[in-house]
Amino acid sequence: MDTTDNDNGRESVQTKTKIPVWLTTTAVVVLILLLAFTVNQTREKDIVEQFSRQQMVIARGTATGVGDFISSVEKSMILISKLSYVRGSLPEATSQSIRVIYDDLDGKVEFIALEDKDGVVTTGYPPSAIAGMLGKRFESRPYSPKIQETGEPYVGALQLPAEGEKGKGGHDKSQSVIVAVPKYDSENRFSGTVLATLSLFTIVDRYIMSKSETPCCAWIMDSEGTILAHPDPSFIGQSLVALERVKAGGRASLKETLMRGLEGYGEYPLPIEGGKTEKNIIAYAPIDLNPGHWFIAVATPHDEIVLLARKGFSNIMFGALGLIIAVIVASILIAASNTKRLRLKEELKRLREREEWQKRLLKEHKTTEGIIEGSPIPTFVLDREHRVILWNKACSELTGFGADGMIGTDHHPIPFYKSKRPTIADIIVDPNMDTLKKYYDTKELRKSATLKGAYEATDFFNDLGGKKRHLYFLAAPIYDERGEIIAAIETIQDVTQQREMDIRLEEYAETLQNELTENINLRREVEELYNYLQSIIDSLPDKIFDLSKDGIINYVSRDVKRDGGIISATFGGKHFSDFVDEENRQLVLDKWEYTKRGIFTPYEMTVTAKDNSRRNLLITPRPVKGTDRYIIVQRDITEFKTLEKKFYESQKLAAIGQLSAGIAHEVRNPLSSIKMSLQILEKRMRPEGNDLKRFKIARREVEHLETLVNDILIYAKPSDPTKKPSSIKKIINHALAMAEKSMSDKHIQVEAAFAKDMSPLDADPAMLEHAFLNIYHNAIDAMADNGKISISVRQETGRFRIEIRDDGCGISKEDMPYIFNPFFTKKSFGTGLGLAQIKKIIDLHHGTIEISSEEGKGTVVMITFPAQVKKAVPESAIQSQDSPMSL
């Protein structure tokens, strides 16, 4: 280095030295100023916080002292009220006791007085305070009704007549605290009050003003927030809200804070003279009374508290200014004297650092070589020229190539691949992603998750050191102090056993998966088969019980299982006889004994169902093959029994019908002869009067018998219908025409509506006209005069639908099941075969008839016939009859 370079270096060092010195000086000056302001603000906050806590302790102690003092006065008043001569109203002894108590309280109370039951002051102490009250009553006596009602002591404010006497600070002493207790006579009846008064301002002066070293004021509030004591008499008796003319933004008001009944402190604005406000530190605490509580608050102006801190701030600023001057002078001297020393130190430091780095690198090199050489993991290191600079013993043992033949050469791929090709370490030294993917893309290549710039790969070698091996390669770069790659290290691990174990585990897992899949499929098939069989069993009308050899229920079909099991808790583990009623239990147990002996004979029994109906059950026992269990099949054969009974009844009715038809056939000819003879005799004899009347009666009865015989013959031996395409409209109208006279007699109105272009009906017109005629007669018989019959005919898909509605008396619910039974009638006349004939005629035409009726509201008959798929017969004349047709 020449002289010019040295001079430039010195100037550079001087310049570099001056700039930091002046920057440091400026920063120190700014920091000193900031520190001074910060210290002042922190000191003010600490003083305010410390003073607030001190005031809170004073307020708490005062509240405790006031509460204890009032409690001691209360106990003293209770003691006076319980003295026997007080209860007996002995004035002299009472005055003496009051004086002793007053002296014992050491003048803490203004006076002690006794009132009689009318509130008149009878005695008290001291005389100077009580003289003007004797024989009088206090104007305000809120305590009297409360202590008489509760029998408990009373503590509260009392407004005494002002005497102009002032306390400290000009306080008006007319606002006092009264402690009153009831007294009772010898018969335990209320006889008056023992009371003592305490000046609130005396309490404040004693407990607060004497303890505070700074100007402050104290207030006392009751539980409602009413001010009882305050330096400004104008606030006494007002709510605490009067002091809060400015609301604290975002905070609870002072009254809300005090009403919580907790102690604390805070900053609040309070009014001062001139309508302004001043920030005050207010400490507060509750005064516990029985019952309820009051509050005491001590307020100190914020400026009075921080005044001392502000006086000290000027001293701090003068000290800071002197310190700044000293720092500037020192900075100039240091900048001038240290420039040469700093340059020499820098040179010496560089030399020492270079020597230290050389020693450290040499040591780390030897340590690294020792670690790698002694490592059980095969490792080699390549330099920037791809020559081996380290080949450890483990690598020699793995490959069979020693370090002597490898170090200093680029033959490191030959032990693995028998020819030169790049290893991962080669590619890291000269990064080339295409080469990396070309040789290792199929070798499970991946970036290392822990080493920056490192790569991992796995390869299989069929013959490496005389063995088949799976090797895991991890190569990572080695950086110099500038962050440039100077070498690469590659480690090799023989993972053959791990890979073989993985293969075996994969094969085993595949086997387990196959077995699991087969088991799952088998389970699914079993569940499907179970569900299929369960569905079949549950769909059977029979109920199946699976019983053990002891009769315990194992399974019940159609059982509601809420927990997913095969049997519910209702039946599971219980004996089947528990579910058999008393009247059949012995029969069932006897049959069970037969079953266990191998006698499997079905049997019947009658039981009572839950709806109190009687049901017929068929019980069939059977063994379960290959087990000691039994199957009991329960079948409800009630309907079968009912059908069987009806079948027998129908057989009897058929026999009766055949007999009736035979009798009717034999009777019809004689009736015809009788009818003809009556007609001949009437013409020949020409009877009159009663004889003519008897002839008419005889002829009417013969006609009735003839009608009955004809109805029986039609019902018992109906002829086959002679079907032909017919107009349903004409059939209905012809039947209406035949019933015209009956309808006219009762002035029945008929409304008929027919669909247009209806297809013909394949039917016997005469039979259907007879059926419709019977329906009309039934409707006419059920209606009073001026009734109405509505007829509607429409053709739907494949069917004719005919509706006949009347407004007659209707059919009762009890009679509805029997209306189609032969010979069933509620009329005083008739055969009871009309509806039976109608149903038989409609059945012969493959139709249906339904009757719905409500007693007192009329009847609706709905008849349907199948419509023939034929070309429609034009009935252009058929139109809807919107207006009633009077017959």
Side-chain angles (χ1 to χ4, degrees):
M1 181 179 295
D2 56 15
T3 306
T4 303
D5 293 337
N6 291 335
D7 292 340
N8 293 335
R10 290 191 193 97
E11 291 177 1
S12 175
V13 170
Q14 291 174 357
T15 303
K16 292 180 180 178
T17 303
K18 291 178 180 179
I19 293 174
V21 167
W22 287 110
L23 288 176
T24 304
T25 302
T26 304
V28 168
V29 170
V30 172
L31 288 175
I32 290 173
L33 294 175
L34 291 176
L35 180 62
F37 284 104
T38 303
V39 168
N40 181 65
Q41 291 183 354
T42 304
R43 191 162 175 265
E44 284 187 4
K45 289 183 179 180
D46 290 343
I47 290 174
V48 170
E49 180 69 20
Q50 184 177 0
F51 182 82
S52 299
R53 293 182 179 179
Q54 178 182 356
Q55 292 297 90
M56 186 182 71
V57 171
I58 293 174
R60 181 198 307 152
T62 301
T64 303
V66 171
D68 292 343
F69 172 60
I70 293 176
S71 177
S72 65
V73 173
E74 180 181 315
K75 291 178 181 179
S76 299
M77 297 303 99
I78 293 174
L79 178 63
I80 293 174
S81 68
K82 292 184 179 294
L83 294 175
S84 58
Y85 44 79
V86 173
R87 295 167 63 94
S89 300
L90 299 176
E92 295 181 359
T94 299
S95 299
Q96 186 65 27
S97 299
I98 292 175
R99 179 178 181 180
V100 171
I101 295 296
Y102 179 86
D103 294 339
D104 184 59
L105 291 174
D106 195 20
K108 295 178 182 178
V109 298
E110 293 181 325
F111 64 85
I112 301 174
L114 265 68
E115 292 182 343
D116 60 15
K117 62 181 180 179
D118 296 323
V120 177
V121 178
T122 58
T123 184
Y125 192 86
S128 59
I130 203 72
M133 302 179 188
L134 292 175
K136 299 179 181 179
R137 291 165 50 115
F138 291 116
E139 294 181 3
S140 175
R141 300 178 65 248
Y143 55 87
S144 181
K146 289 186 178 180
I147 62 175
Q148 291 187 48
E149 179 183 355
T150 63
E152 299 292 333
Y154 171 87
V155 178
L158 180 68
Q159 188 74 25
L160 295 176
E163 299 177 1
E165 184 182 355
K166 304 290 183 178
K168 291 181 181 180
H171 302 321
D172 190 342
K173 301 185 70 174
S174 62
Q175 187 74 11
S176 301
V177 177
I178 183 170
V179 179
V181 298
K183 66 186 185 74
Y184 300 92
D185 58 16
S186 58
E187 296 181 0
N188 206 28
R189 290 178 300 182
F190 178 77
S191 61
T193 308
V194 180
L195 57 89
T197 61
L198 302 81
S199 171
L200 291 176
F201 295 109
T202 300
I203 294 173
V204 171
D205 292 342
R206 175 179 296 177
Y207 286 97
I208 298 177
M209 305 307 293
S210 62
K211 297 180 181 180
S212 179
E213 298 177 356
T214 57
C216 65
C217 64
W219 331 317
I220 297 178
M221 290 73 65
D222 62 12
S223 59
E224 302 297 329
T226 302
I227 300 174
L228 303 179
H230 192 275
D232 187 349
S234 63
F235 287 114
I236 296 175
Q238 296 189 38
S239 174
L240 188 58
V241 179
L243 291 174
E244 296 184 274
R245 296 178 183 175
V246 180
K247 294 291 183 181
R251 292 189 311 177
S253 65
L254 179 59
K255 181 177 181 180
E256 292 173 348
T257 304
L258 292 178
M259 290 301 101
R260 296 172 184 168
L262 302 175
E263 65 180 31
Y265 56 86
E267 297 181 5
Y268 296 91
L270 296 179
I272 59 175
E273 295 180 359
K276 299 181 180 180
T277 59
E278 180 183 37
K279 183 165 68 173
N280 280 255
I281 304 299
I282 300 178
Y284 49 85
I287 303 173
D288 292 330
L289 302 176
N290 186 20
H293 53 265
W294 289 354
F295 306 96
I296 188 166
V298 181
T300 306
H302 184 273
D303 293 339
E304 295 291 338
I305 300 172
V306 300
L307 183 61
L308 182 61
R310 291 175 179 173
K311 289 180 180 178
F313 179 64
S314 59
N315 297 331
I316 294 174
M317 291 303 298
F318 282 120
L321 182 59
L323 182 61
I324 290 170
I325 296 171
V327 168
I328 293 174
V329 173
S331 298
I332 295 172
L333 295 175
I334 291 171
S337 64
N338 287 346
T339 302
K340 184 184 293 185
R341 187 185 305 171
L342 182 62
R343 181 170 56 80
L344 294 175
K345 283 185 178 180
E346 286 181 353
E347 292 292 337
L348 181 62
K349 181 179 179 182
R350 279 198 295 270
L351 292 174
R352 288 178 179 176
E353 286 179 351
R354 182 179 298 174
E355 184 180 357
E356 184 68 26
W357 273 109
Q358 289 176 350
K359 291 180 181 180
R360 188 180 300 174
L361 287 174
L362 181 62
K363 182 178 180 180
E364 289 180 354
H365 179 69
K366 291 182 179 179
T367 302
T368 304
E369 283 187 350
I371 292 172
I372 295 175
E373 181 64 28
S375 173
I377 300 175
T379 306
F380 65 88
V381 181
L382 304 180
D383 61 10
R384 286 289 303 170
E385 285 73 30
H386 301 273
R387 292 191 300 267
V388 179
I389 60 176
L390 186 61
W391 186 276
N392 72 350
K393 184 178 180 181
C395 195
S396 300
E397 293 175 354
L398 175 67
T399 61
F401 290 79
D404 295 337
M406 286 293 172
I407 294 177
T409 70
D410 58 355
H411 300 158
H412 52 281
I414 294 176
F416 303 100
Y417 302 106
K418 307 306 180 186
S419 62
K420 285 190 176 182
R421 52 162 284 184
T423 62
I424 302 178
D426 290 309
I427 299 172
I428 287 177
V429 171
D430 291 326
N432 190 325
M433 294 304 298
D434 294 336
T435 304
L436 185 64
K437 291 183 179 179
K438 176 181 177 181
Y439 289 101
Y440 292 97
D441 202 26
T442 60
K443 309 297 183 183
E444 301 180 13
L445 178 69
R446 60 186 178 275
K447 283 188 176 181
S448 173
T450 56
L451 297 176
K452 179 183 178 182
Y455 287 90
E456 305 171 6
T458 306
D459 202 354
F460 173 72
F461 299 90
N462 197 41
D463 184 9
L464 182 64
K467 296 181 181 180
K468 294 181 179 180
R469 298 179 187 272
H470 291 272
L471 298 183
Y472 165 76
F473 298 93
L474 173 62
I478 299 175
Y479 300 94
D480 62 6
E481 66 274 10
R482 295 185 300 275
E484 298 179 356
I485 297 176
I486 59 173
I489 183 172
E490 186 165 348
T491 61
I492 305 108
Q493 295 185 41
D494 188 351
V495 293
T496 304
Q497 293 183 354
Q498 179 181 349
R499 182 54 61 91
E500 291 176 351
M501 179 64 72
D502 291 341
I503 293 172
R504 287 196 292 270
L505 286 175
E506 289 176 0
E507 293 175 349
Y508 181 64
E510 185 178 358
T511 302
L512 288 179
Q513 182 64 37
N514 293 335
E515 292 179 358
L516 178 61
T517 303
E518 291 178 0
N519 290 335
I520 291 173
N521 293 334
L522 180 60
R523 178 183 177 87
R524 186 181 298 112
E525 291 174 0
V526 170
E527 288 180 351
E528 290 176 356
L529 179 60
Y530 172 80
N531 293 332
Y532 175 71
L533 295 176
Q534 183 69 37
S535 300
I536 293 175
I537 292 175
D538 288 342
S539 64
L540 294 175
D542 301 334
K543 197 165 188 178
I544 300 174
F545 295 82
D546 183 329
L547 307 180
S548 69
K549 64 179 180 179
D550 298 321
I552 302 302
I553 300 174
N554 297 323
Y555 171 80
V556 180
S557 65
R558 290 180 288 167
D559 181 23
V560 179
K561 300 173 281 293
R562 300 184 184 276
D563 55 357
I566 63 172
I567 189 169
S568 67
T570 305
F571 297 99
K574 298 180 181 179
H575 198 274
F576 75 96
S577 63
D578 295 343
F579 302 96
V580 182
D581 54 11
E582 291 292 337
E583 62 177 321
N584 294 301
R585 185 169 298 169
Q586 189 58 46
L587 169 65
V588 172
L589 291 175
D590 293 342
K591 294 295 183 181
W592 173 245
E593 294 298 327
Y594 291 152
T595 300
K596 291 195 290 185
R597 292 200 295 265
I599 303 173
F600 307 107
T601 304
Y603 58 93
E604 297 179 9
M605 65 179 181
T606 304
V607 298
T608 302
K610 292 181 179 180
D611 58 356
N612 294 324
S613 62
R614 300 289 287 175
R615 312 296 294 178
N616 298 99
L617 302 180
L618 175 64
I619 309 298
T620 304
R622 284 292 183 273
V624 179
K625 294 182 179 180
T627 67
D628 58 352
R629 304 198 313 273
Y630 299 92
I631 292 292
I632 302 295
V633 180
Q634 173 187 298
R635 174 173 293 180
D636 190 341
I637 58 172
T638 305
E639 294 183 2
F640 173 77
K641 288 289 187 180
T642 303
L643 290 174
E644 185 180 42
K645 183 178 179 181
K646 290 182 178 180
F647 174 74
Y648 291 145
E649 290 178 354
S650 66
Q651 291 292 324
K652 290 190 287 184
L653 288 173
I656 294 172
Q658 293 296 330
L659 177 61
S660 300
I663 294 173
H665 185 71
E666 293 299 329
V667 170
R668 184 166 60 173
N669 291 334
L671 281 176
S672 300
S673 300
I674 295 172
K675 181 179 180 181
M676 186 178 297
S677 299
L678 285 172
Q679 291 174 351
I680 294 171
L681 287 174
E682 185 179 1
K683 288 182 181 180
R684 289 182 180 179
M685 297 177 64
R686 295 181 180 178
E688 296 178 356
N690 289 334
D691 293 336
L692 178 60
K693 185 178 179 181
R694 290 188 181 92
F695 266 102
K696 289 182 179 181
I697 292 172
R699 186 172 65 245
R700 187 171 63 250
E701 293 300 326
V702 169
E703 290 175 352
H704 176 68
L705 288 174
E706 188 176 23
T707 302
L708 178 60
V709 168
N710 288 335
D711 288 344
I712 291 173
L713 289 174
I714 291 172
Y715 175 76
K717 290 184 178 181
S719 59
D720 293 331
T722 304
K723 295 183 179 180
K724 60 181 179 180
S726 306
S727 170
I728 188 64
K729 177 179 179 181
K730 291 180 179 180
I731 293 172
I732 292 173
N733 284 335
H734 288 170
L736 283 172
M738 287 187 284
E740 180 180 0
K741 184 177 184 308
S742 300
M743 293 181 181
S744 298
D745 293 341
K746 285 192 171 184
H747 305 288
I748 303 297
Q749 288 185 337
V750 177
E751 288 185 358
F754 298 91
K756 295 180 180 180
D757 298 330
M758 291 185 292
S759 61
L761 173 64
D762 194 15
D764 186 330
M767 278 191 173
L768 291 185
E769 288 174 4
H770 181 73
F772 283 116
L773 181 60
N774 280 343
I775 294 173
Y776 299 152
H777 282 157
N778 285 341
I780 294 168
D781 292 340
M783 288 190 295
D785 291 349
N786 299 313
K788 180 180 177 181
I789 296 176
S790 300
I791 302 171
S792 172
V793 182
R794 61 184 183 274
Q795 184 175 356
E796 299 176 349
T797 304
R799 303 193 71 80
F800 286 104
R801 186 175 295 276
I802 303 149
E803 181 182 291
I804 302 172
R805 183 186 300 270
D806 67 62
D807 56 1
C809 61
I811 305 171
S812 66
K813 292 182 179 179
E814 293 78 11
D815 294 341
M816 285 298 293
Y818 311 106
I819 58 177
F820 291 112
N821 288 354
F823 306 109
F824 176 80
T825 181
K826 288 291 185 175
K827 300 177 182 178
S828 58
F829 57 90
T831 61
L833 294 172
L835 285 176
Q837 289 179 3
I838 293 169
K839 190 174 188 312
K840 182 161 288 189
I841 292 171
I842 292 173
D843 290 342
L844 290 172
H845 286 78
H846 306 292
T848 62
I849 179 171
E850 295 179 2
I851 297 179
S852 59
S853 181
E854 186 174 351
E855 195 169 4
K857 294 187 179 181
T859 303
V860 178
V861 180
M862 181 65 69
I863 301 172
T864 61
F865 292 110
Q868 301 299 318
V869 184
K870 294 181 181 180
K871 185 177 180 181
V873 176
E875 291 185 330
S876 58
I878 300 178
Q879 296 181 355
S880 176
Q881 300 179 14
D882 297 328
S883 58
M885 179 177 64
S886 180
L887 298 177

